[in-house]
Every structure is written in structure tokens, then in C-alpha cells.
Amino acid sequence: MLLLIPKHGDARPTNLFLKLNSENHIMLLRHTLAPGIGDPVNFDLYDCRTQRNLSKKGIKQAQKIGRFLVKNNLKRINIYSSQWCRCKETAKEIALGGYKTLDLLNSFFSNNKIAAPQTRNLENWIKELSLKTPTLLVTHQVNITALIGHYPTQGEIVLAKRLRNGKLTFVGSIEAYDLP
């Protein structure tokens, strides 16, 4: 098993996979490498040609994450993805079966007015979510930062603990670059 070293908080090594089996932990993943910032002016949610998409390196990162999860006995996980093409492609390339899209995971980078209500709605959804099966949410930096106050890099797996009120607290993280 690979140890996960928290970037802040508890300085002791934490085993990601043992935590996931406690039913009150969840993985958040910022989509893998998609060069650029934000989205083009002509962004269309239903047309990937108008969006930032994964680079070849980003596709390889997602595949590496999938192999890493399988190697660590996470062959069966629930995956939810933002509707953005780079998130859906990340979920697809992880290759652990299907995934479901969830609009609550969509980026609000270009519309900060919806950040607070969308984050509250996502917290409420997470509060009711069964975590009997390990769960991965593929989303964006702004969403993860709003949820737990951590600024992830592209391809960073973040482990969070679900509190009773549905809010999440940072436990630790590992970047795709650091995976074996």
C-alpha cells in the first residue's frame, strides 16, 4: 500500500485506502492535465471542441490513476464527473467502468455568483451519499477549493472526510506525478 502524505494538517502519514473503507471518506480529483486556464469565450457545454481538453499527458495521467487505484484494490468505485469534457474524459480514461455526470461538480470559475449556492447543494448531496463503496468525484480546482479550502493541481487525488453536516475536511492528497 502506498502511504499518502498530507500536504497540510496532520503531519503523520495516512493510509488513503484504509480511510476509504471507513464509509465517511471520499476522493476528489481535479481533472488531469488540460493546458490553459478557464474556458474559451465560445464555451459550449455540449461541444468539446469549444472547451479546454486533456492533453496526451493528461490522458496518460488519468490512465495512471486508474492503474494505481486497481493496484490498491479499488477496482469497484463509484465515479461522478462534472459535465465538462476534460472531467468526463478523465473519468473515462481512469477505466474503472462507467461514471455518472453531476452538474453540481461543474466549474463556476466563470460565474462566481453561483459558487456559494452550488457548493451548499453539493455538500447536501454529499451528506446524503452512501459511501459504502469508495467514491471519486472528478471536478475542478474551484469546486475542490470551495469544498475543503485546498488548492489541488491538475491530476491531484484529494482525500476528504465527510462530517455529519455534509461538509468535507481535508485529510491528505497525492498528485498524479507522484504515483508509482
Side-chain angles (χ1 to χ4, degrees):
M1 290 277 170
L2 179 73
L3 292 180
L4 178 79
I5 310 295
K7 289 187 173 182
H8 60 74
D10 186 353
R12 294 172 298 161
T14 305
N15 189 305
L16 170 66
F17 309 104
L18 291 177
K19 295 281 188 186
L20 279 172
N21 291 324
S22 73
E23 294 187 24
N24 64 344
H25 289 79
I26 191 167
M27 289 181 289
L28 307 169
L29 172 63
R30 181 178 177 188
H31 60 78
T32 55
L33 190 61
I37 297 173
D39 283 294
V41 179
N42 65 334
F43 173 85
D44 179 349
L45 182 62
Y46 304 102
D47 185 351
C48 293
R49 295 171 299 170
T50 67
Q51 300 181 36
R52 281 179 37 227
N53 293 294
L54 298 186
S55 64
K56 288 180 183 177
K57 192 172 188 176
I59 291 168
K60 287 180 181 179
Q61 282 180 327
Q63 293 167 345
K64 187 177 186 181
I65 289 168
R67 288 189 304 272
F68 172 76
L69 294 172
V70 167
K71 182 180 175 186
N72 287 280
N73 297 316
L74 290 172
K75 298 171 189 155
R76 187 171 162 259
I77 65 174
N78 294 323
I79 301 175
Y80 296 89
S81 173
S82 159
Q83 294 173 308
W84 265 236
C85 293
R86 58 186 171 269
C87 291
K88 293 189 300 186
E89 189 171 12
T90 298
K92 178 182 149 246
E93 292 296 335
I94 288 172
L96 291 176
Y99 63 89
K100 297 176 184 172
T101 58
L102 180 66
D103 62 351
L104 294 173
L105 296 173
N106 290 352
S107 177
F108 44 75
F109 181 81
S110 297
N111 185 1
N112 203 34
K113 292 178 190 172
I114 66 169
Q118 182 175 322
T119 301
R120 264 192 316 277
N121 290 336
L122 181 56
E123 287 170 342
N124 289 333
W125 182 82
I126 290 169
K127 182 179 181 180
E128 301 301 321
L129 184 65
S130 170
L131 295 177
K132 290 182 182 187
T133 301
T135 300
L136 172 67
L137 307 181
V138 183
T139 188
H140 307 267
Q141 173 271 311
V142 291
N143 303 72
I144 294 170
T145 301
L147 278 169
I148 62 172
H150 176 73
Y151 191 105
T153 62
Q154 293 181 58
E156 184 174 346
I157 303 167
V158 178
L159 179 67
K161 180 177 181 179
R162 178 177 63 184
L163 305 175
R164 291 176 200 232
N165 63 2
K167 293 190 182 297
L168 298 177
T169 186
F170 179 86
V171 174
S173 70
I174 188 166
E175 296 181 23
Y177 296 112
D178 295 331
L179 296 176

